[in-house]
Amino acid sequence: MSLSDTAESLAAALPPLMVRAERLASAVTLGMHGRRKAGIGQSFWQFHHYRPGDARAAIDWRQSAKGQHLYVREREWEAAQSVWLWRDGSPSMRFASGAVSKLERASLLALALGVLLVRGGERIALYGEREAPANSRLAYRRIGYALAERAPSDDQLPPDAPLPRNAQFVWFGDFLAPMEDIERTIRRLTRSNAGGRLVHIVDPAEEDFPYAGRTRFEAVTGSENRTLGRAESVAGEYRLRFRAHAEAVAVLARKLGWNYTAHRTDRPPQAALVALYADLSGGHRMAG
């Protein structure tokens, strides 16, 4: 089947998630990416000292002859970067105290961001999939089908898969995995000099703990259920622990040079999408 035939067959039966994501992206009016960083292009940007791994052909011998160091001539980035999206599909993400689950909101934001990035000239891919990053409607529709039509895996953490150098990585999840596992995963992803963003999806009941009286809490996995006679008696301690955990995730992200943002499922997704797209439009890693 040709590429155009594949695109037409995908377009024939768009899942509701795809329709919602395209509408959300269309409601967000933003300019094109305004990046200025080293990359492949014709415009001179700056010199830097020669480093192991730099191509010898990039050495500017005229500039190097002026001193005792070898200099590499960097050019302004003009090629599209690759942005890799990953959504946590673990059982805890399926929790919903209202109309929208964390899984549904994470999927919508991931896909709408992909739509915006493609429209802005970037190449996107779903991390862990076979398809290479691409800048096309077919690329984000494939992601839409993967997020909407397949049963989500139970993995809390991104798989151990190759990531190109200098890629951008966006991780949507509730970050309820052990902190040491989250840190180990981020460090693995940054070995290829990838820039990263953690998008913390929060259900309002998780943060506010609105329960009172006799309440039964059921675990999302296993049989560790618990009934409290007066749920309000633990509300204060619970809220402190939840805020402390969220802050620990944010601090970890900053320490490792990644960005962190939180989004509650009872709030409109537009603001989170605008913030994510604007952040990625910088095209560089944030300082830790």
mmCIF file of all heavy atoms in Angstrom, residues 46-78:
data_model
loop_
_atom_site.group_PDB
_atom_site.id
_atom_site.type_symbol
_atom_site.label_atom_id
_atom_site.label_comp_id
_atom_site.label_asym_id
_atom_site.label_seq_id
_atom_site.Cartn_x
_atom_site.Cartn_y
_atom_site.Cartn_z
ATOM 1 N N GLN A 46 28.151 30.890 15.602
ATOM 2 C CA GLN A 46 29.233 31.175 16.523
ATOM 3 C C GLN A 46 30.352 30.146 16.345
ATOM 4 O O GLN A 46 30.180 29.139 15.674
ATOM 5 C CB GLN A 46 28.735 31.147 17.972
ATOM 6 C CG GLN A 46 28.303 29.761 18.439
ATOM 7 C CD GLN A 46 27.850 29.732 19.879
ATOM 8 O OE1 GLN A 46 27.672 30.762 20.514
ATOM 9 N NE2 GLN A 46 27.652 28.538 20.418
ATOM 10 N N PHE A 47 31.519 30.448 16.982
ATOM 11 C CA PHE A 47 32.606 29.476 17.051
ATOM 12 C C PHE A 47 32.592 28.812 18.423
ATOM 13 O O PHE A 47 32.174 29.412 19.414
ATOM 14 C CB PHE A 47 33.969 30.169 16.869
ATOM 15 C CG PHE A 47 34.202 30.710 15.481
ATOM 16 C CD1 PHE A 47 34.241 32.079 15.260
ATOM 17 C CD2 PHE A 47 34.395 29.853 14.417
ATOM 18 C CE1 PHE A 47 34.469 32.589 13.995
ATOM 19 C CE2 PHE A 47 34.629 30.358 13.138
ATOM 20 C CZ PHE A 47 34.666 31.719 12.933
ATOM 21 N N HIS A 48 33.080 27.570 18.472
ATOM 22 C CA HIS A 48 33.371 26.966 19.776
ATOM 23 C C HIS A 48 34.655 26.159 19.649
ATOM 24 O O HIS A 48 35.055 25.771 18.547
ATOM 25 C CB HIS A 48 32.206 26.105 20.292
ATOM 26 C CG HIS A 48 32.027 24.788 19.575
ATOM 27 N ND1 HIS A 48 30.951 24.528 18.775
ATOM 28 C CD2 HIS A 48 32.779 23.645 19.551
ATOM 29 C CE1 HIS A 48 31.037 23.292 18.294
ATOM 30 N NE2 HIS A 48 32.148 22.747 18.748
ATOM 31 N N HIS A 49 35.322 25.923 20.793
ATOM 32 C CA HIS A 49 36.544 25.133 20.795
ATOM 33 C C HIS A 49 36.248 23.717 20.296
ATOM 34 O O HIS A 49 35.199 23.152 20.600
ATOM 35 C CB HIS A 49 37.138 25.053 22.204
ATOM 36 C CG HIS A 49 37.788 26.329 22.637
ATOM 37 N ND1 HIS A 49 38.141 26.584 23.947
ATOM 38 C CD2 HIS A 49 38.141 27.433 21.946
ATOM 39 C CE1 HIS A 49 38.682 27.785 24.027
ATOM 40 N NE2 HIS A 49 38.697 28.319 22.829
ATOM 41 N N TYR A 50 37.181 23.186 19.544
ATOM 42 C CA TYR A 50 37.036 21.816 19.036
ATOM 43 C C TYR A 50 36.892 20.852 20.208
ATOM 44 O O TYR A 50 37.626 20.930 21.189
ATOM 45 C CB TYR A 50 38.254 21.435 18.191
ATOM 46 C CG TYR A 50 38.219 20.009 17.677
ATOM 47 C CD1 TYR A 50 37.496 19.685 16.529
ATOM 48 C CD2 TYR A 50 38.908 19.000 18.346
ATOM 49 C CE1 TYR A 50 37.463 18.379 16.055
ATOM 50 C CE2 TYR A 50 38.879 17.689 17.879
ATOM 51 C CZ TYR A 50 38.152 17.388 16.736
ATOM 52 O OH TYR A 50 38.120 16.102 16.275
ATOM 53 N N ARG A 51 35.893 19.936 20.120
ATOM 54 C CA ARG A 51 35.646 18.936 21.155
ATOM 55 C C ARG A 51 35.695 17.552 20.536
ATOM 56 O O ARG A 51 35.381 17.383 19.354
ATOM 57 C CB ARG A 51 34.267 19.161 21.801
ATOM 58 C CG ARG A 51 34.096 20.490 22.497
ATOM 59 C CD ARG A 51 32.740 20.542 23.201
ATOM 60 N NE ARG A 51 31.628 20.546 22.257
ATOM 61 C CZ ARG A 51 30.927 21.618 21.947
ATOM 62 N NH1 ARG A 51 31.228 22.791 22.492
ATOM 63 N NH2 ARG A 51 29.915 21.543 21.100
ATOM 64 N N PRO A 52 36.093 16.540 21.318
ATOM 65 C CA PRO A 52 36.038 15.164 20.796
ATOM 66 C C PRO A 52 34.641 14.859 20.280
ATOM 67 O O PRO A 52 33.646 15.137 20.950
ATOM 68 C CB PRO A 52 36.380 14.314 22.025
ATOM 69 C CG PRO A 52 37.196 15.221 22.895
ATOM 70 C CD PRO A 52 36.616 16.593 22.698
ATOM 71 N N GLY A 53 34.564 14.312 19.093
ATOM 72 C CA GLY A 53 33.267 14.035 18.485
ATOM 73 C C GLY A 53 32.904 15.020 17.393
ATOM 74 O O GLY A 53 32.061 14.728 16.536
ATOM 75 N N ASP A 54 33.508 16.230 17.408
ATOM 76 C CA ASP A 54 33.268 17.190 16.337
ATOM 77 C C ASP A 54 33.910 16.694 15.038
ATOM 78 O O ASP A 54 35.001 16.102 15.057
ATOM 79 C CB ASP A 54 33.860 18.562 16.688
ATOM 80 C CG ASP A 54 33.039 19.308 17.725
ATOM 81 O OD1 ASP A 54 31.831 19.016 17.830
ATOM 82 O OD2 ASP A 54 33.602 20.174 18.427
ATOM 83 N N ALA A 55 33.249 16.927 13.942
ATOM 84 C CA ALA A 55 33.796 16.521 12.644
ATOM 85 C C ALA A 55 34.988 17.404 12.279
ATOM 86 O O ALA A 55 34.942 18.629 12.440
ATOM 87 C CB ALA A 55 32.716 16.625 11.571
ATOM 88 N N ARG A 56 36.059 16.797 11.783
ATOM 89 C CA ARG A 56 37.240 17.569 11.389
ATOM 90 C C ARG A 56 36.907 18.540 10.261
ATOM 91 O O ARG A 56 37.494 19.621 10.173
ATOM 92 C CB ARG A 56 38.369 16.620 10.957
ATOM 93 C CG ARG A 56 38.997 15.846 12.100
ATOM 94 C CD ARG A 56 40.166 14.994 11.606
ATOM 95 N NE ARG A 56 41.203 15.807 10.967
ATOM 96 C CZ ARG A 56 42.178 16.422 11.628
ATOM 97 N NH1 ARG A 56 42.223 16.367 12.957
ATOM 98 N NH2 ARG A 56 43.091 17.111 10.978
ATOM 99 N N ALA A 57 35.924 18.164 9.438
ATOM 100 C CA ALA A 57 35.558 19.034 8.339
ATOM 101 C C ALA A 57 34.910 20.329 8.816
ATOM 102 O O ALA A 57 34.835 21.307 8.073
ATOM 103 C CB ALA A 57 34.595 18.305 7.391
ATOM 104 N N ALA A 58 34.449 20.336 10.086
ATOM 105 C CA ALA A 58 33.798 21.533 10.623
ATOM 106 C C ALA A 58 34.809 22.538 11.205
ATOM 107 O O ALA A 58 34.420 23.645 11.581
ATOM 108 C CB ALA A 58 32.787 21.146 11.695
ATOM 109 N N ILE A 59 36.090 22.155 11.291
ATOM 110 C CA ILE A 59 37.100 23.056 11.855
ATOM 111 C C ILE A 59 37.309 24.251 10.926
ATOM 112 O O ILE A 59 37.447 24.102 9.706
ATOM 113 C CB ILE A 59 38.433 22.315 12.053
ATOM 114 C CG1 ILE A 59 38.261 21.188 13.095
ATOM 115 C CG2 ILE A 59 39.533 23.285 12.501
ATOM 116 C CD1 ILE A 59 39.491 20.324 13.257
ATOM 117 N N ASP A 60 37.281 25.438 11.509
ATOM 118 C CA ASP A 60 37.564 26.656 10.749
ATOM 119 C C ASP A 60 39.056 26.954 10.908
ATOM 120 O O ASP A 60 39.498 27.472 11.934
ATOM 121 C CB ASP A 60 36.718 27.820 11.277
ATOM 122 C CG ASP A 60 36.813 29.036 10.373
ATOM 123 O OD1 ASP A 60 37.912 29.623 10.312
ATOM 124 O OD2 ASP A 60 35.805 29.401 9.748
ATOM 125 N N TRP A 61 39.854 26.613 9.882
ATOM 126 C CA TRP A 61 41.308 26.709 9.994
ATOM 127 C C TRP A 61 41.766 28.165 10.026
ATOM 128 O O TRP A 61 42.770 28.495 10.671
ATOM 129 C CB TRP A 61 41.970 25.946 8.843
ATOM 130 C CG TRP A 61 41.679 24.476 8.902
ATOM 131 C CD1 TRP A 61 40.836 23.768 8.109
ATOM 132 C CD2 TRP A 61 42.221 23.542 9.844
ATOM 133 N NE1 TRP A 61 40.810 22.441 8.493
ATOM 134 C CE2 TRP A 61 41.664 22.277 9.549
ATOM 135 C CE3 TRP A 61 43.129 23.649 10.894
ATOM 136 C CZ2 TRP A 61 41.973 21.124 10.270
ATOM 137 C CZ3 TRP A 61 43.435 22.501 11.625
ATOM 138 C CH2 TRP A 61 42.864 21.265 11.312
ATOM 139 N N ARG A 62 41.066 29.053 9.365
ATOM 140 C CA ARG A 62 41.451 30.473 9.386
ATOM 141 C C ARG A 62 41.311 31.043 10.802
ATOM 142 O O ARG A 62 42.209 31.718 11.292
ATOM 143 C CB ARG A 62 40.589 31.256 8.409
ATOM 144 C CG ARG A 62 40.901 32.746 8.391
ATOM 145 C CD ARG A 62 40.111 33.470 7.318
ATOM 146 N NE ARG A 62 40.468 32.997 5.981
ATOM 147 C CZ ARG A 62 39.929 33.454 4.865
ATOM 148 N NH1 ARG A 62 38.969 34.367 4.914
ATOM 149 N NH2 ARG A 62 40.308 32.986 3.688
ATOM 150 N N GLN A 63 40.167 30.746 11.478
ATOM 151 C CA GLN A 63 39.985 31.225 12.841
ATOM 152 C C GLN A 63 40.966 30.546 13.791
ATOM 153 O O GLN A 63 41.520 31.182 14.699
ATOM 154 C CB GLN A 63 38.538 30.951 13.297
ATOM 155 C CG GLN A 63 38.200 31.428 14.704
ATOM 156 C CD GLN A 63 38.169 32.941 14.821
ATOM 157 O OE1 GLN A 63 38.044 33.640 13.814
ATOM 158 N NE2 GLN A 63 38.305 33.444 16.035
ATOM 159 N N SER A 64 41.222 29.253 13.568
ATOM 160 C CA SER A 64 42.134 28.510 14.437
ATOM 161 C C SER A 64 43.562 29.031 14.333
ATOM 162 O O SER A 64 44.327 28.997 15.309
ATOM 163 C CB SER A 64 42.089 27.017 14.083
ATOM 164 O OG SER A 64 40.780 26.494 14.245
ATOM 165 N N ALA A 65 43.948 29.519 13.146
ATOM 166 C CA ALA A 65 45.310 30.016 12.944
ATOM 167 C C ALA A 65 45.593 31.279 13.738
ATOM 168 O O ALA A 65 46.758 31.651 13.931
ATOM 169 C CB ALA A 65 45.554 30.265 11.456
ATOM 170 N N LYS A 66 44.540 31.944 14.249
ATOM 171 C CA LYS A 66 44.731 33.184 14.996
ATOM 172 C C LYS A 66 45.158 32.944 16.448
ATOM 173 O O LYS A 66 45.544 33.878 17.141
ATOM 174 C CB LYS A 66 43.433 33.997 14.999
ATOM 175 C CG LYS A 66 42.989 34.435 13.608
ATOM 176 C CD LYS A 66 41.660 35.172 13.680
ATOM 177 C CE LYS A 66 41.166 35.580 12.286
ATOM 178 N NZ LYS A 66 39.854 36.279 12.354
ATOM 179 N N GLY A 67 45.068 31.699 16.891
ATOM 180 C CA GLY A 67 45.421 31.429 18.282
ATOM 181 C C GLY A 67 46.000 30.038 18.439
ATOM 182 O O GLY A 67 46.491 29.439 17.480
ATOM 183 N N GLN A 68 45.890 29.516 19.663
ATOM 184 C CA GLN A 68 46.472 28.214 19.975
ATOM 185 C C GLN A 68 45.429 27.102 20.032
ATOM 186 O O GLN A 68 45.757 25.970 20.368
ATOM 187 C CB GLN A 68 47.213 28.282 21.319
ATOM 188 C CG GLN A 68 48.362 29.283 21.312
ATOM 189 C CD GLN A 68 49.062 29.350 22.663
ATOM 190 O OE1 GLN A 68 48.512 28.922 23.674
ATOM 191 N NE2 GLN A 68 50.272 29.873 22.668
ATOM 192 N N HIS A 69 44.160 27.413 19.746
ATOM 193 C CA HIS A 69 43.088 26.426 19.840
ATOM 194 C C HIS A 69 42.472 26.182 18.472
ATOM 195 O O HIS A 69 42.510 27.048 17.590
ATOM 196 C CB HIS A 69 41.991 26.901 20.808
ATOM 197 C CG HIS A 69 42.485 27.125 22.199
ATOM 198 N ND1 HIS A 69 42.756 26.099 23.077
ATOM 199 C CD2 HIS A 69 42.766 28.282 22.871
ATOM 200 C CE1 HIS A 69 43.166 26.596 24.227
ATOM 201 N NE2 HIS A 69 43.191 27.921 24.121
ATOM 202 N N LEU A 70 41.914 24.991 18.325
ATOM 203 C CA LEU A 70 41.134 24.692 17.134
ATOM 204 C C LEU A 70 39.694 25.154 17.366
ATOM 205 O O LEU A 70 39.122 24.938 18.439
ATOM 206 C CB LEU A 70 41.146 23.183 16.842
ATOM 207 C CG LEU A 70 42.493 22.590 16.417
ATOM 208 C CD1 LEU A 70 42.359 21.084 16.215
ATOM 209 C CD2 LEU A 70 42.993 23.256 15.137
ATOM 210 N N TYR A 71 39.099 25.783 16.361
ATOM 211 C CA TYR A 71 37.736 26.286 16.476
ATOM 212 C C TYR A 71 36.831 25.624 15.433
ATOM 213 O O TYR A 71 37.237 25.404 14.291
ATOM 214 C CB TYR A 71 37.692 27.809 16.271
ATOM 215 C CG TYR A 71 38.265 28.577 17.432
ATOM 216 C CD1 TYR A 71 39.619 28.930 17.446
ATOM 217 C CD2 TYR A 71 37.456 28.935 18.510
ATOM 218 C CE1 TYR A 71 40.154 29.632 18.521
ATOM 219 C CE2 TYR A 71 37.980 29.640 19.580
ATOM 220 C CZ TYR A 71 39.319 29.995 19.579
ATOM 221 O OH TYR A 71 39.861 30.682 20.651
ATOM 222 N N VAL A 72 35.621 25.335 15.866
ATOM 223 C CA VAL A 72 34.598 24.772 14.981
ATOM 224 C C VAL A 72 33.574 25.858 14.699
ATOM 225 O O VAL A 72 33.157 26.587 15.593
ATOM 226 C CB VAL A 72 33.920 23.542 15.625
ATOM 227 C CG1 VAL A 72 32.685 23.113 14.828
ATOM 228 C CG2 VAL A 72 34.914 22.392 15.715
ATOM 229 N N ARG A 73 33.200 25.968 13.444
ATOM 230 C CA ARG A 73 32.230 26.980 13.020
ATOM 231 C C ARG A 73 30.820 26.383 13.102
ATOM 232 O O ARG A 73 30.493 25.442 12.389
ATOM 233 C CB ARG A 73 32.547 27.404 11.581
ATOM 234 C CG ARG A 73 31.734 28.574 11.044
ATOM 235 C CD ARG A 73 32.144 28.872 9.607
ATOM 236 N NE ARG A 73 31.469 30.046 9.075
ATOM 237 C CZ ARG A 73 31.923 31.290 9.179
ATOM 238 N NH1 ARG A 73 33.079 31.505 9.797
ATOM 239 N NH2 ARG A 73 31.248 32.311 8.675
ATOM 240 N N GLU A 74 30.010 26.916 13.999
ATOM 241 C CA GLU A 74 28.638 26.444 14.148
ATOM 242 C C GLU A 74 27.708 27.266 13.272
ATOM 243 O O GLU A 74 27.895 28.469 13.102
ATOM 244 C CB GLU A 74 28.176 26.551 15.612
ATOM 245 C CG GLU A 74 28.899 25.601 16.540
ATOM 246 C CD GLU A 74 28.347 25.679 17.948
ATOM 247 O OE1 GLU A 74 27.573 26.604 18.245
ATOM 248 O OE2 GLU A 74 28.707 24.810 18.752
ATOM 249 N N ARG A 75 26.725 26.592 12.742
ATOM 250 C CA ARG A 75 25.724 27.267 11.920
ATOM 251 C C ARG A 75 24.371 27.228 12.629
ATOM 252 O O ARG A 75 24.093 26.340 13.411
ATOM 253 C CB ARG A 75 25.626 26.602 10.540
ATOM 254 C CG ARG A 75 26.949 26.651 9.793
ATOM 255 C CD ARG A 75 26.805 26.102 8.385
ATOM 256 N NE ARG A 75 28.103 26.061 7.724
ATOM 257 C CZ ARG A 75 28.670 27.098 7.118
ATOM 258 N NH1 ARG A 75 28.048 28.258 7.095
ATOM 259 N NH2 ARG A 75 29.850 26.999 6.539
ATOM 260 N N GLU A 76 23.571 28.205 12.323
ATOM 261 C CA GLU A 76 22.258 28.289 12.961
ATOM 262 C C GLU A 76 21.382 27.120 12.526
ATOM 263 O O GLU A 76 21.380 26.703 11.379
ATOM 264 C CB GLU A 76 21.572 29.604 12.575
ATOM 265 C CG GLU A 76 20.253 29.825 13.296
ATOM 266 C CD GLU A 76 19.662 31.180 12.959
ATOM 267 O OE1 GLU A 76 20.355 31.986 12.337
ATOM 268 O OE2 GLU A 76 18.495 31.396 13.319
ATOM 269 N N TRP A 77 20.628 26.595 13.514
ATOM 270 C CA TRP A 77 19.752 25.462 13.253
ATOM 271 C C TRP A 77 18.646 25.839 12.274
ATOM 272 O O TRP A 77 17.927 26.796 12.463
ATOM 273 C CB TRP A 77 19.136 25.004 14.563
ATOM 274 C CG TRP A 77 18.203 23.852 14.423
ATOM 275 C CD1 TRP A 77 16.859 23.911 14.276
ATOM 276 C CD2 TRP A 77 18.548 22.470 14.434
ATOM 277 N NE1 TRP A 77 16.334 22.634 14.185
ATOM 278 C CE2 TRP A 77 17.349 21.739 14.273
ATOM 279 C CE3 TRP A 77 19.754 21.777 14.537
ATOM 280 C CZ2 TRP A 77 17.333 20.356 14.245
ATOM 281 C CZ3 TRP A 77 19.731 20.396 14.519
ATOM 282 C CH2 TRP A 77 18.520 19.706 14.364
ATOM 283 N N GLU A 78 18.503 25.037 11.203
ATOM 284 C CA GLU A 78 17.425 25.271 10.259
ATOM 285 C C GLU A 78 16.627 24.002 9.983
ATOM 286 O O GLU A 78 15.574 24.056 9.381
ATOM 287 C CB GLU A 78 17.987 25.817 8.934
ATOM 288 C CG GLU A 78 18.572 27.206 9.087
ATOM 289 C CD GLU A 78 19.194 27.710 7.801
ATOM 290 O OE1 GLU A 78 19.173 26.957 6.805
ATOM 291 O OE2 GLU A 78 19.709 28.829 7.788
#
